[in-house]
Amino acid sequence: MTPFPISEQTSVRFSDPLPAEADVVVIGGGVIGVCTALFLARAGQSVVLLEKGRIAGEQSSRNWGWIRQQGRDPDELPIMVEANQHWRNLATQTNRDIGLTQGGVTYLADNDAQMARYADWLPVAQAQGVDTRLLTAAETRALLPGTGKSYAGALHTASDMRAEPWVAVPALAEIAARAGAQIREGCAVRCLDLAAGRVAGVVTEAGRIATSEVVLAGGAWSSLFLRNHGVALPQLSVRATVAKTTDLPAVAAGGVADNRIAFRHRADGGYTLAPGGFHELFLGWDALRALPKFLTQLRADPFGTRFLPTAPKGYPDAWGTARRWSGDAPSPFENQRVLNPQPNTAKVRDLKRKFATLFPQLPQFDISHAWAGMIDTMPDVVPVVDRVSALPGLTLGTGMSGHGFGIGPAMGRILADMVMGNPTGHDLTRFRFNRFTDGTSMRLGPAL
């Protein structure tokens, strides 16, 4: 099979020298970190973005490529509406085609009970002016001509979009670099440098940078980074498998999902396929510590997670991964430059079978390549976007829970304004860091 487009073997694109100091240091070169650096640079801040491996090497390039408003948590949706406009604007400023296409997103319903759950979300969309509507069974058949399965109807948002993530996020990094952000791949931040209890800099494998403001956008690595500083974040990382087909004729314009499979047409002519409602959790020390916080989520979807006893060596929550280290020796981030989990091969075979069954009129096809990513998720399936009170000068943007690619540009803008002390333009109460310790009852984001 064809290898994934971004890996540790990918040539370094960004290799700016480290400055002695900066207004802000951003840790993590995924979509959240890249967009944060972009908006900070545009605001005139001297900003350094440091990535231990490659820009978009992990989950920011391995996701489905959906840019969806549909099904969002009510507190996420206004941010996602903003993100949609950012995507449209930024796509005109790149030096490459990122595949941005408005094809809509459709959730298929097997029965009336599922249609009723979709109907419950309509007021959320209407409150933000989003064009979501319910489709009848006949309208659903018309949207997916030739499908071999009948559906009770669907939830459809025509204004939702898609893009090619392994192209889009590096392209956004290029915009950030042109705006003045200094970007360095292959340079891990080992730890924060603290003075009198607050951020005074970062210690990287290539030296120290003095700064009073740091943004941690480390994805699946965020909890490990914080634990080294004595801060507990109940974050888990789950493995999600994705596959790509060989070229096929278009059977749907946008992203489509039912309870068994999700798919979208790609700019290269194939389809991206993923299993619906399935992921895998490698058990480790952090998983055991955080598990009590996730009980509400597990009870709501007891069969959606498969538990695996041991993570591969070097993974953030592998049994042997260090939880404490100093800045003068290699850190776990240098031992695993790009988190590149192997896909679940049984699921890949199953995806091919299900897609062929769903569209029996399609010509014979193969899976050209398959990959997996580690999704950083929180107990309530919404992110943490907040200042870290235990470490003054640190701002956290993580736990995007599989929603980060689409919402990334707006979250980056919000984090940039948060760091600069500007109004963020949104109510971020839902995303505060201490919601897991202040007695707040668990409220899950919509499982649509």
Side-chain angles (χ1 to χ4, degrees), residues 28-64:
V31 66
I32 304 299
V34 164
C35 291
T36 301
L38 190 162
F39 284 101
L40 284 167
R42 285 185 167 176
Q45 297 287 297
S46 64
V47 55
V48 181
L49 171 62
L50 300 174
E51 164 55 47
K52 65 183 176 59
R54 300 293 182 270
I55 293 295
E58 298 188 359
Q59 185 57 19
S60 284
S61 62
R62 296 162 185 267
N63 60 81
W64 301 355

Coordinates of all heavy atoms in Angstrom, one line a residue, residues 28-64:
G28 N 3.6 22.6 19.2 CA 2.7 21.7 18.4 C 2.3 22.3 17.1 O 1.8 23.4 17.0
G29 N 2.7 21.5 16.0 CA 2.5 22.0 14.7 C 1.3 21.3 14.0 O 1.3 21.1 12.8
G30 N 0.2 21.0 14.7 CA -1.0 20.6 14.1 C -1.9 21.8 13.7 O -1.4 23.0 13.8
V31 N -3.1 21.6 13.4 CA -3.9 22.7 12.9 C -4.1 23.8 13.9 O -4.2 25.0 13.6 CB -5.2 22.2 12.3 CG1 -6.1 21.6 13.4 CG2 -6.0 23.3 11.5
I32 N -4.3 23.4 15.2 CA -4.5 24.4 16.2 C -3.3 25.2 16.4 O -3.4 26.5 16.5 CB -4.9 23.7 17.6 CG1 -6.1 22.7 17.4 CG2 -5.2 24.7 18.6 CD1 -7.4 23.5 16.9
G33 N -2.1 24.6 16.6 CA -0.9 25.4 16.8 C -0.6 26.3 15.6 O -0.1 27.4 15.7
V34 N -0.7 25.7 14.4 CA -0.4 26.5 13.2 C -1.3 27.7 13.1 O -0.8 28.8 12.8 CB -0.6 25.6 11.9 CG1 -0.6 26.4 10.7 CG2 0.6 24.6 11.8
C35 N -2.6 27.6 13.3 CA -3.5 28.7 13.2 C -3.3 29.7 14.3 O -3.4 30.9 14.1 CB -5.0 28.2 13.2 SG -5.4 27.3 11.7
T36 N -2.9 29.2 15.5 CA -2.6 30.1 16.6 C -1.4 31.0 16.2 O -1.4 32.2 16.4 CB -2.3 29.4 17.9 OG1 -3.4 28.6 18.3 CG2 -2.0 30.3 19.0
A37 N -0.4 30.4 15.7 CA 0.8 31.1 15.3 C 0.5 32.1 14.1 O 1.0 33.2 14.1 CB 1.9 30.1 14.8
L38 N -0.4 31.7 13.2 CA -0.7 32.5 12.1 C -1.4 33.8 12.6 O -1.0 35.0 12.2 CB -1.7 31.8 11.2 CG -2.1 32.4 9.8 CD1 -2.6 31.3 8.9 CD2 -3.1 33.5 9.9
F39 N -2.4 33.7 13.5 CA -3.1 34.9 14.0 C -2.2 35.7 14.9 O -2.4 37.0 14.9 CB -4.4 34.5 14.6 CG -5.5 34.1 13.6 CD1 -5.8 32.8 13.3 CD2 -6.2 35.1 12.9 CE1 -6.7 32.4 12.4 CE2 -7.1 34.7 11.9 CZ -7.4 33.4 11.7
L40 N -1.3 35.1 15.7 CA -0.4 35.9 16.5 C 0.5 36.7 15.6 O 0.8 37.9 15.9 CB 0.4 35.0 17.4 CG -0.3 34.4 18.6 CD1 0.4 33.3 19.2 CD2 -0.6 35.5 19.7
A41 N 1.0 36.1 14.6 CA 2.0 36.8 13.7 C 1.2 38.0 13.0 O 1.8 39.1 12.8 CB 2.5 35.8 12.6
R42 N 0.0 37.7 12.5 CA -0.7 38.8 11.9 C -1.0 40.0 12.8 O -1.2 41.1 12.4 CB -2.0 38.3 11.3 CG -1.8 37.4 10.0 CD -3.1 37.0 9.4 NE -2.8 36.5 8.1 CZ -3.8 36.0 7.3 NH1 -5.0 35.9 7.7 NH2 -3.5 35.5 6.1
A43 N -1.0 39.7 14.1 CA -1.3 40.7 15.1 C 0.0 41.4 15.5 O 0.0 42.3 16.4 CB -2.0 40.1 16.4
G44 N 1.1 41.1 14.9 CA 2.4 41.7 15.2 C 3.2 41.2 16.3 O 4.2 41.7 16.7
Q45 N 2.8 40.0 16.8 CA 3.6 39.3 17.8 C 4.8 38.6 17.2 O 4.7 38.0 16.1 CB 2.7 38.3 18.6 CG 1.5 38.9 19.3 CD 1.9 39.7 20.6 OE1 2.5 39.1 21.5 NE2 1.7 41.0 20.6
S46 N 5.9 38.6 17.9 CA 7.0 37.7 17.5 C 6.7 36.3 18.1 O 6.6 36.1 19.3 CB 8.3 38.2 18.1 OG 8.4 38.2 19.5
V47 N 6.4 35.4 17.2 CA 5.9 34.0 17.6 C 6.8 33.0 17.0 O 7.2 33.1 15.8 CB 4.4 33.9 17.2 CG1 4.2 34.1 15.7 CG2 3.9 32.5 17.6
V48 N 7.1 32.0 17.8 CA 7.9 30.8 17.3 C 7.0 29.6 17.5 O 6.4 29.3 18.6 CB 9.2 30.6 18.2 CG1 10.0 29.4 17.6 CG2 10.0 31.9 18.1
L49 N 6.9 28.8 16.4 CA 6.1 27.5 16.4 C 7.1 26.4 16.4 O 7.9 26.3 15.4 CB 5.1 27.5 15.2 CG 4.4 26.1 15.0 CD1 3.6 25.7 16.2 CD2 3.6 26.2 13.7
L50 N 7.0 25.5 17.4 CA 8.0 24.4 17.5 C 7.2 23.1 17.4 O 6.2 22.9 18.1 CB 8.8 24.5 18.8 CG 9.6 25.8 19.0 CD1 10.2 25.8 20.4 CD2 10.7 25.9 17.9
E51 N 7.7 22.2 16.5 CA 7.1 20.9 16.3 C 8.1 19.8 16.4 O 9.2 19.9 15.7 CB 6.4 20.9 14.9 CG 6.1 19.5 14.4 CD 5.2 18.7 15.3 OE1 4.2 19.2 15.8 OE2 5.5 17.5 15.5
K52 N 7.9 18.8 17.2 CA 8.9 17.8 17.5 C 9.2 16.9 16.2 O 10.3 16.4 16.1 CB 8.4 16.9 18.6 CG 7.2 16.1 18.3 CD 6.8 15.3 19.6 CE 5.5 14.5 19.3 NZ 5.5 13.6 18.2
G53 N 8.2 16.8 15.4 CA 8.3 16.0 14.2 C 8.1 16.8 12.9 O 9.0 17.5 12.5
R54 N 6.9 16.7 12.3 CA 6.6 17.4 11.1 C 5.3 18.1 11.2 O 4.4 17.7 11.9 CB 6.5 16.4 9.9 CG 7.8 15.7 9.6 CD 8.9 16.5 9.1 NE 10.1 15.8 8.8 CZ 11.1 15.5 9.7 NH1 11.0 16.0 10.9 NH2 12.1 14.8 9.3
I55 N 5.2 19.3 10.6 CA 3.9 20.0 10.6 C 2.8 19.1 10.1 O 3.0 18.4 9.0 CB 4.0 21.2 9.7 CG1 5.0 22.3 10.3 CG2 2.6 21.9 9.5 CD1 4.6 22.9 11.6
A56 N 1.7 19.0 10.9 CA 0.6 18.1 10.5 C 0.9 16.7 10.4 O 0.2 15.9 9.8 CB -0.1 18.6 9.2
G57 N 2.0 16.2 11.1 CA 2.4 14.8 11.0 C 1.5 13.9 11.7 O 1.5 12.7 11.3
E58 N 0.7 14.3 12.6 CA -0.1 13.4 13.4 C -1.6 13.6 13.0 O -1.9 13.6 11.9 CB 0.2 13.6 14.9 CG 1.7 13.2 15.1 CD 2.1 13.1 16.6 OE1 1.3 13.4 17.5 OE2 3.3 12.8 16.8
Q59 N -2.5 13.8 14.0 CA -3.9 13.7 13.7 C -4.4 14.8 12.8 O -5.4 14.6 12.1 CB -4.7 13.7 15.0 CG -6.2 13.5 14.9 CD -6.6 12.3 14.2 OE1 -5.8 11.3 14.1 NE2 -7.8 12.2 13.7
S60 N -3.7 15.9 12.7 CA -4.2 17.0 11.9 C -4.1 16.7 10.4 O -4.8 17.3 9.6 CB -3.4 18.3 12.1 OG -3.8 18.9 13.3
S61 N -3.3 15.7 10.0 CA -3.3 15.2 8.6 C -4.1 13.9 8.4 O -4.3 13.5 7.3 CB -1.9 15.1 8.1 OG -1.2 14.1 8.9
R62 N -4.4 13.2 9.5 CA -4.9 11.9 9.4 C -6.4 11.8 9.5 O -7.0 10.7 9.5 CB -4.3 11.0 10.4 CG -2.8 10.9 10.2 CD -2.0 10.4 11.5 NE -0.6 10.4 11.2 CZ 0.1 9.4 10.7 NH1 -0.4 8.2 10.5 NH2 1.4 9.5 10.5
N63 N -7.1 12.9 9.7 CA -8.5 13.0 9.9 C -9.3 12.8 8.6 O -8.7 12.6 7.6 CB -8.9 14.3 10.6 CG -8.5 15.5 9.8 OD1 -9.2 15.9 8.9 ND2 -7.4 16.1 10.1
W64 N -10.6 12.9 8.7 CA -11.4 12.6 7.5 C -11.4 13.8 6.5 O -11.9 13.6 5.4 CB -12.9 12.3 7.9 CG -13.1 11.2 8.9 CD1 -12.1 10.3 9.3 CD2 -14.3 10.8 9.5 NE1 -12.7 9.4 10.1 CE2 -14.0 9.7 10.3 CE3 -15.6 11.3 9.5 CZ2 -15.0 9.0 11.0 CZ3 -16.5 10.7 10.2 CH2 -16.3 9.5 11.0

